[in-house]
Amino acid sequence: MNLTLKIWRQPNGSATGEMVTYPITDVSEDMSFLEMLDVLNERLTAEGEEPVAFDSDCREGICGMCGLMINGVAHGPEVTTTCQLHMRSFSDGDVVTIEPWRASGFPVLRDLAVDRSAFDRIIDAGGYVSVNTGAAPDAHATPVPKENAERAFDAATCISCGACVAACPNGSASLFLGAKITHLAELPQGQAERHTRVLNMVHQHDLEGFGGCTNIGECTAVCPKEIPQDVIATLNKDMRHALWNRV
Amino acid sequence: MSPQEKDPMATNENEAPHGTAMGTSSDPVGQAEELAPAEVANESPSQGAAAGVTAPVSTPAADRADHDDAAGYYTTGAPIADTKAPAGPVERRWTERVFNAKLVNPANRRRLSVIVVGTGLAGSSAAATLGEAGYHVDAFFYQDSPRRAHSIAAQGGINAAKNYKEDGDSIYRLFYDTVKGGDYRARESNVYRLAEVSANIIDQCVAQGVPFAREYGGLLDNRSFGGVQVSRTFYARGQTGQQLLIGAYQALERQVAAGTVKTHARHEMLELVVVDDGSGPRARGIVTRDMVTGEIETHLADAVVLASGGYGNVFFLSTNAMGCNVTAAWRAHRKGAHFANPCYTQIHPTCIPVSGEHQSKLTLMSESLRNDGRIWVPKNAEDCDKDPRDIPEEDRDYYLERIYPSFGNLVPRDIASRQAKNMCDEGRGVGPMVGDQRRGVYLDFAEAIERMGRSAVEAKYGNLFDMYARITGEDPYATPMRIYPAVHYTMGGLWVDYDLQSSIPGLFVAGEANFSDHGANRLGASALMQGLADGYFVLPNTIRDYLADGPFPKITDDDPEVRAARANVQERIDHFLSVNGSRSVDSFHRELGHIMWEYCGMERSAEGLRTAIEKIRALREEFWRDVRVLGTNDSLNQALERAGRVADFLELGELMCIDALHRRESCGGHFRAESQTPDGEALRDDENFAYVAAWEWGGETGEPILHKEDLVYESVEMKQRSYK
Amino acid sequence: MAVTGLVFIGYVLLHMYGNLWAFSGQEAFDDYAHHLRELLTPMLPYGGLLWILRVVLLASLVGHAAAAFALWSRAAKARDRRYAVKKVVTATLSSRTMRWGGVALLAFVIFHILHLTTHTINPGGDPESPYLRLVGSFQVWWVAVIYLLAMLALGMHIRHGAFSMLQTLGLTDNRRRYRVAHAVGLVLAIVVAGGFALVPLGVLLGIVTT
Ligand SMILES: Cc1cc2nc3c(=O)[nH]c(=O)nc-3n(C[C@H](O)[C@H](O)[C@H](O)COP(=O)(O)OP(=O)(O)OC[C@H]3O[C@@H](n4cnc5c(N)ncnc54)[C@H](O)[C@@H]3O)c2cc1C
Ligand code: HEM
Ligand code: SF4
Ligand code: FES
């Protein structure tokens, strides 16, 4: 199939960028979306134009490194990561607009690659259980009810890709944040630091310049791991308890 | 014997023709992340075998001993040995070593700094633990977050000798299974220690909040994995690596918040700094490139830990992530660190096949699919592009069932992989043409769906079928799936002693980057265990013995060795940017991958390996002359990053072929066409090859130098495994 | 935001209930209006509760609007550069119109107060009886239309607002409750907006007359 790509090009973080149109021909429907971009890049290189920068690593939907805004939808038309999107989701003649995640908390580094270190800093603020190596009791010392373990797991599958922020009209990272809060809140190991965790992580989230959540739900809709919106309710509940506790 | 004695060309007479193997296969080498159903070890460990005794192994060709296929390609150096493991009973060695390793007083730790390259399971856990102890840690990784290291992709699970199932598991049994699974090419003391600390890993992870699968009673669930009879594998659905890595990553970020660890995202290590301060050469730092600004930085410390993962990407296509590379390890190798057993690679039979020349990576599917699926190719090459549903039963060749009537589709992985390749080489592969061949065989569930009903198949394999459908766009319930083997793991790596210290003092190596624990073949669910064992428990205990002598004399960015290292990096970058040749970096990488896959893949022969070496040398020469890297150094330049990695793969590839060529035996993941039993089983040669091949860099123009570390088995008896 | 929103929801429910007295005729409705002012007397002076209510409502309104504008400006800062193409995947129209819908409601509330509380705007004359005033106004078609449109806006605001409030209060932290919260939003929206709309509709259709 033949496509028209409109791609955001920006030589570096401080430069102004623009959308550039590239026609691409003979795209096989078995290609992944990123392989299609690889092919484009090979061609650009041959023509002496610098290839389009975009991030990816595992290319199997688990590392969270990839992430493009494709025709206005984070990760494109399927509920999956950009690397797992295949060209059979497009048809001959389509115009495909490709942009980076847009959020003040995710500055563009070049073309389609953005800096998501804000997420690491949010985790720094409390997204862990404070236990030193070697200090752990036997793993069977504390049973965890299966439902809690399952919900903790569901939340813990977040791959930190940032699609939720990219899709959110408020530019909020609440789904990401809620996923971590819920993961640890569902487990006995996470209880001791539950209140300080939520206060500090929310504080950091706001400092990073992410917007406030108004429960619109675009985040969940594009989340490749289908993290449910109810993790944000858990975040809010913990916040309510934590604030109340401080009174 | 002296390797140079014989004419290298005089060795081809007993090369077996491909694809004629008969009968049943050797004992499986439990390779991958999933249970290959028939691979059940049917012997029990024989405890207390006499020290040093190796069981008699037949060496069919008398000429084996004095043949050296690789003569002329390398020179032999002095033998080496691990000097750090205490003598005495294997089960006491670790306790003793922990006790004897020097302590660093807490006030001193603040004055000691450690560089950790890599934040996978091994690197994150090491950096976090060293940070907790109070050392200054700098952690480097090429992704934008430590949590994206390729450990994240591991699916199946992690082994630990917890014996929660009361099914007879023990440290000794895990140790025994690992040594045997590694085809008796691993060091006993290391493996025992691995099994010993395995239980602590699970405790640690649970305390961190890793959501392992649980039973209804709230206790942890286990499954049986990788061809063993006990259930010792802990798992978190199909995302065990992800959950373990998130645990280690969170521990790491906690130290970042505490100020003991500083992370350096998008920083690629491009050189090791080795400085002789009068007491001999020591690893004292690294040179990195900030992948966003292009800045070449020097980072100095008292010790350097490499946890930079495996080098499977030398094959271009593998189940590894796009960025996985050998650069960190290779740069250290060139500075004096020995590279051990580079040819030991693991190939997994059930991956989703290549769909075309554009393919950038391969995806693993659980091997449990072979439990119910039937593998076949068309009898006639003309049928290969037909809709498989239109090919009548009588025109299908269920080749595994035909060649191995007693095991059928459940033959061990190496056999399954090799036979799939043979079918495709014969021109009977299916799926799209890739290059000159169709590379795929059918894995058919039609019969299973009829027998079990669609819903039962769905319950058992639903998520795998979904994954397959997403990638291929085909419905596996309606048409047979296509599978093909893919490179998955590299057992080789930098040589380390019991302390995980390489042959360069102060350079420690952990995780897949070292060679230590899996021998010639890794058991499923054991890589995660090793990475975390190294990082949480082993390295923090052994590195203190080294650091206790520090802080080492201060060095600065201006020391001549440091300047030279930086200049070297700059020179390479300048070269890549100025060649302005005609071929892209990827085109070279692809070509290297083809060579490696053809000649140093599932089946290796002396002739093929020699061809490969010549081809790689020519390709390398062309690469330096004709690669095209556009743009500049001072911004994100992904082609430039890849150029550096491919340059190192081009050197590693040659060493792998030389290693494979010199090891004229089949063991674990290494199958030499010249070393098989009459019915096509892998044939080990303990008499001549029960050693670790540790290669020393021979200089730009010199040959690599082979140092042998003899493998001595005191606690388990070496056996040629047989399935009959 | 959620707390003030909850105050509003409580208030509009009561208010709507009160309005429905209009269907029982002038006497009942005027009685109700009178009672409203007598409630809790003599503990409070005549009209006291109404004043308390007004203060609470005004405070809520200020708080609510302030929070709304704060969120609005944070959102604008959180995405300094807009997408060239951006599609809506699932968000409801209600959830996407909270801000402008809210502003429209604010305008309406002002109009509503000027109309029925302060009697500044008198489209249907200015009779003493609250009942007559109400019915008289709605007989002016464009007044009824303004009220009906406002109720549509209110319905939409509550449809997302009530769900959002439950979510913000953290009461929806499992999938079942999450679904219930969505249903609550929808039901409340229909009940409140529908209930309010009945009166102007009733007047327009001639069911409620002077
Ligand atoms: C698809 C797949 C499934 C698997 N499933 C299982 C399983 O179920 N069970 C099991 O036990 N094992 C499994 N394995 C194997 C196992 O996952 C790996 O061997 C293990 O995770 C490696 O961990 P590591 O910490 O050594 O390296 P990695 O996790 O690969 O980390 C390497 C780190 O080094 C950094 N790095 C690399 N080069 C440089 C450089 N030049 N400069 C700076 N930083 C650098 C990277 O950024 C990264 O942080 C699987 C492997 C694959 C590919
Ligand atoms: C001044 C006029 C108003 C403005 C500008 C306004 C604006 C907003 C905004 C922006 C939100 C946030 C969206 C969200 O949380 O999902 C909101 C929420 C809400 N509004 Fe309004 N609104 C106004 C009047 C009203 C009125 C009159 C009501 C009475 C029904 C009301 C009830 C609610 C409720 C219940 C919420 C949910 C609160 C939460 O989730 O935190 N609002 N409003
Ligand atoms: S919550 Fe979903 S969309 Fe957001 S970062 Fe995690 S995986 Fe990505
Ligand atoms: S590249 Fe890893 S999730 Fe897409």
Side-chain angles (χ1 to χ4, degrees), chain B residues 445-498:
Chain B
F445 271 77
E447 190 255 354
I449 291 173
E450 209 164 280
R451 173 166 46 86
M452 307 160 60
R454 180 179 162 134
S455 58
V457 171
E458 219 172 292
K460 215 164 159 186
Y461 303 110
N463 53 352
L464 293 168
F465 278 33
D466 290 348
M467 176 171 84
Y468 182 86
R470 176 177 309 285
I471 292 175
T472 61
E474 289 166 18
D475 175 7
Y477 295 101
T479 53
M481 288 190 261
R482 288 172 293 111
I483 54 167
Y484 202 61
V487 174
H488 179 53
Y489 183 87
T490 51
M491 280 74 67
L494 292 180
W495 184 89
V496 289
D497 62 17
Y498 191 63

Side-chain angles (χ1 to χ4, degrees), chain B residues 17-27 38 370 374-375 397-423 426 603 671 676-682 723-724:
Chain B
H18 295 196
T20 53
M22 288 291 198
T24 58
S25 72
S26 65
D27 180 74
R370 287 202 281 143
R374 293 180 73 194
I375 296 175
D397 179 10
Y398 294 89
Y399 58 90
L400 289 176
E401 297 169 27
R402 170 172 60 82
I403 306 174
Y404 309 105
S406 42
F407 289 96
N409 297 298
L410 298 179
V411 293
R413 299 178 182 91
D414 51 334
I415 301 280
S417 295
R418 243 179 292 127
Q419 289 298 0
K421 178 181 191 294
N422 291 340
M423 295 304 129
E426 280 174 26
E603 181 171 324
F671 185 87
Q676 46 185 320
T677 60
D679 48 5
E681 292 181 42
Y723 227 8
K724 289 173 206 158

Side-chain angles (χ1 to χ4, degrees), chain B residues 258-316:
Chain B
T260 61
V261 177
K262 188 170 181 323
T263 49
H264 303 259
R266 296 190 193 260
H267 274 67
E268 184 162 19
M269 166 183 165
L270 295 178
E271 198 54 272
L272 180 74
V273 175
V274 179
V275 177
D276 190 341
D277 55 27
S279 61
R282 292 173 190 279
R284 291 300 305 273
I286 60 174
V287 179
T288 61
R289 176 172 178 271
D290 179 329
M291 295 155 75
V292 177
T293 65
E295 198 175 328
I296 309 299
E297 303 168 359
T298 313
H299 299 270
L300 301 171
D302 292 298
V304 177
V305 177
L306 293 190
S308 48
Y311 51 86
N313 272 356
V314 67
F315 290 86
F316 186 70

Side-chain angles (χ1 to χ4, degrees), chain B residues 109-183:
Chain B
R109 294 183 201 157
R110 261 174 270 131
R111 304 195 293 126
L112 289 161
S113 53
V114 181
I115 283 170
V116 178
V117 180
T119 54
L121 288 180
S124 283
S125 56
T129 307
L130 292 171
E132 287 161 11
Y135 301 102
H136 266 291
V137 181
D138 280 274
F140 297 82
F141 42 97
Y142 69 76
Q143 296 93 340
D144 71 340
S145 166
R147 58 172 290 156
R148 306 205 198 283
H150 199 50
S151 294
I152 200 111
Q155 304 165 356
I158 176 167
N159 289 331
K162 275 283 194 189
N163 194 24
Y164 279 160
K165 294 283 169 193
E166 275 297 321
D167 55 2
D169 198 13
S170 63
I171 292 173
Y172 187 87
R173 189 179 296 277
L174 176 53
F175 157 65
Y176 175 86
D177 287 348
T178 308
V179 169
K180 172 169 169 266
D183 224 357

Side-chain angles (χ1 to χ4, degrees), chain B residues 362-429:
Chain B
L362 297 170
T363 305
L364 180 83
M365 285 200 296
S366 167
E367 240 190 324
S368 60
L369 288 168
R370 287 202 281 143
N371 275 331
D372 292 300
R374 293 180 73 194
I375 296 175
W376 61 277
V377 291
K379 276 190 181 146
N380 313 310
E382 311 81 71
D383 285 347
C384 286
D385 53 357
K386 269 199 192 156
D387 183 330
R389 286 166 296 186
D390 297 340
I391 303 175
E393 267 315 301
E394 63 273 16
D395 288 341
R396 300 177 176 193
D397 179 10
Y398 294 89
Y399 58 90
L400 289 176
E401 297 169 27
R402 170 172 60 82
I403 306 174
Y404 309 105
S406 42
F407 289 96
N409 297 298
L410 298 179
V411 293
R413 299 178 182 91
D414 51 334
I415 301 280
S417 295
R418 243 179 292 127
Q419 289 298 0
K421 178 181 191 294
N422 291 340
M423 295 304 129
C424 298
D425 288 348
E426 280 174 26
R428 295 196 287 139

Side-chain angles (χ1 to χ4, degrees), chain A residues 26-46:
Chain A
D26 295 326
V27 174
S28 142
E29 60 167 29
D30 289 325
M31 286 179 184
S32 72
F33 194 83
L34 297 182
E35 285 167 351
M36 183 273 293
L37 289 180
D38 290 343
V39 170
L40 174 73
N41 277 344
E42 286 288 289
R43 197 195 81 200
L44 292 180
T45 305

Side-chain angles (χ1 to χ4, degrees), chain A residues 42 55 57 60 120 124, chain B residues 249 253 266 322 361 584:
Chain A
E42 286 288 289
D55 275 326
D57 203 27
E60 50 183 277
D120 290 332
D124 289 354
Chain B
Y249 155 75
E253 292 298 331
R266 296 190 193 260
M322 302 302 288
K361 79 150 283 163
S584 72

